[in-house]
Amino acid sequence: SIAMVSLPRDLKAGSTCTATGKINEVFWCNNKSGTNEEAGAQALMSKVGGILGIDFQYYAHVNWGSLISIVNSLGGITVTLDEDVNDRYYTKAVIKAGVPTTLNGEQALGLARARHGTSLGDFSRGNSQQKILMAIVEKVLSSNLGITDMINLVNILGDNLRSNFTMEDIKTGMHVLKSVNMNEMRQVSLL
């Protein structure tokens, strides 16, 4: 089974290298001025694991800009949101709840960043990001992409993806994902 949890960026995570101690600082504080992403990722996995009581083995750090390329390479995605998003001034994302909406890469990025014009701010943004991720996975699975296509999709990410997944892990993950019923994927809210 798959469950997705989004942590709000302002979640207090204990001591970090700043006075605020927010979860979104853990990676940055441990990345040594951008020279050690592995240390940043390991610190974040440890901190989030401690908060949730889960031992994380893998991470993927994806640059925002690659979302545009991924969605466009798939020919767009379709999302159905749980609440209205009216963030026209900041991200230009305006979507009605309950209405299947097809997005191109730029629109998906706008929605992924939208937190203004929503009822729950950062919690709404996390929910939208989960919907985008689910739509990408559904599109990949419904497109019957082979391993070569998946490797090409990973190559589109290029330097925009940092991960400790091996190629074997990705192949195994694709086989596992094909057996998952996407309708049973759970979105867990921290509200």
Side-chain angles (χ1 to χ4, degrees), residues 7 16 23 32 40 43 67 84 94 106 119 141:
L7 299 179
T16 63
I23 195 71
K32 311 280 191 248
L67 179 62
D84 290 346
V94 179
E106 289 284 343
S119 63
L141 294 178

Side-chain angles (χ1 to χ4, degrees), residues 136-144 174 177-178 180 182:
I136 290 170
V137 171
E138 285 177 15
K139 186 76 177 247
V140 166
L141 294 178
S142 69
S143 299
N144 293 319
M174 285 308 300
L177 272 177
K178 288 182 179 183
V180 171
M182 294 304 291

Side-chain angles (χ1 to χ4, degrees), residues 9 14 16-30:
R9 68 183 186 157
T16 63
C17 64
T18 72
T20 59
K22 297 188 299 185
I23 195 71
N24 71 334
E25 299 166 345
V26 174
F27 178 83
W28 180 79
C29 289
N30 290 277

Side-chain angles (χ1 to χ4, degrees), residues 5 7 11 44-56 190:
V5 177
L7 299 179
L11 178 72
L44 185 57
M45 286 193 307
S46 176
K47 183 63 78 171
V48 172
I51 292 169
L52 297 178
I54 297 172
D55 182 25
F56 290 97
L190 294 182

